[in-house]
Amino acid sequence: MSAPLVAGVELGGTKCVCILGTGPDDVRAIERISTTTPAVTLAAIEAVLDGWRGFAALGISSFGPVGIDRAAPDWGHITATTKPGWSSTDIAPRLATRYGVPVGFDTDVVGAALAEARWGAAQGLADLAYVTIGTGVGVGLIAGGKPLSGLTHAELGHIRPRRLAGDAFPGICSFHGDCVEGLASGPAIAARAGEPGDSLAADDKTWLPVADAIAQLCHMLVMSGLPRRIVFGGGVAVGTPHLLPRVRVALVESLGAYGNHDLIGDPEAFIVPAALGDRAGPLGAILLGQAAI
């Protein structure tokens, strides 16, 4: 039996991707839309989806924070986001009403994690973490093949790591200052160095505290007992070839003798770059739609 035709929407902070298909080998159509105001952006998404009527379900992977508890009034909404004008925006209920099909809804990083598990760098693994390092830092968690959720989705980019000795950078997060996002995101790297990360040499001293903060996030994930692999995406992580090798070294040093070989095995197989690139989020939205049927 063939997979059902699904429309997917990856709602990003700067652009949205609408996709129609069943998987990476069967993409019938794809459209990209700039993310501006909620009214303009959602109208543009609806204009695309209106032309694709006939899909069996809709999946949405969105920037957050978002409401993912279907029993809560804010399910399917973007909640208290730092993106101006988008707090409390109705996404999934609005589109579900318009199209009358099952709707799956989760964060963009959970969508990417699902796609990497099915078709990418974590194929065959039911338990993984997907970490994006870019404009922000986000983490999607998959356990037993399904998104891990409870009170809400993971916001592990905002954990506050142990600081590297001598690192006095205050961090840039407007909420927490020196959380991982405030210390190691793209804007944080630029604030530390006075120039964008992609212009820094591989041996620039900026990379040491950045890699350490990311490794502290990985240390926490290892100690959660969940991921069999950590997949990294985002412009900083995949666009800086020397960063993940530094993170692997810092993680092994951080774990010390506390069973790191049993817990993570080969660091190069445990911490890996994403395989699907910028297709992970849209393909993950297709999987969210399939799961909603």
Side-chain angles (χ1 to χ4, degrees), residues 132-205:
T132 182
I133 310 286
T135 303
V137 176
V139 181
L141 299 175
I142 305 298
K146 297 180 179 180
L148 184 65
S149 61
L151 172 67
T152 183
H153 53 79
E155 282 288 354
L156 297 177
H158 291 279
I159 66 166
R160 305 183 82 163
R162 177 214 66 188
R163 298 298 300 274
L164 187 67
D167 181 21
F169 179 64
I172 65 163
C173 176
S174 59
F175 294 101
H176 310 115
D178 62 350
C179 59
V180 176
E181 181 168 296
L183 294 172
S185 64
I189 294 168
R192 280 181 179 275
E195 56 184 308
D198 57 10
S199 66
L200 298 177
D203 61 353
D204 191 284
K205 63 182 181 180

Side-chain angles (χ1 to χ4, degrees), residues 10 16 19 34 47 65 68 108 125 140 147 156 165 182 188 199 233 237 243 258 269 280 284:
E10 181 193 27
C16 302
I19 188 170
S34 295
I68 61 170
D108 48 0
L125 297 179
L156 297 177
S199 66
L243 180 56
Y258 195 78

Side-chain angles (χ1 to χ4, degrees), residues 13-97:
T14 58
K15 73 176 186 304
C16 302
V17 180
C18 299
I19 188 170
L20 182 70
T22 64
D25 297 325
D26 179 28
V27 174
R28 314 285 178 88
I30 190 164
E31 297 283 346
R32 292 172 176 82
I33 297 164
S34 295
T35 304
T36 56
T37 66
V40 171
T41 304
L42 289 171
I45 290 171
E46 289 170 341
V48 172
L49 298 181
D50 285 352
W52 293 349
R53 286 186 183 270
F55 47 85
L58 172 65
I60 305 164
S61 59
S62 175
F63 73 88
V66 296
I68 61 170
D69 180 355
R70 283 187 176 264
D74 66 357
W75 175 78
H77 291 64
I78 294 174
T79 56
T81 181
T82 56
K83 187 167 179 60
W86 281 84
S87 292
S88 304
T89 298
D90 175 341
I91 306 294
R94 168 176 170 162
L95 296 179
T97 299

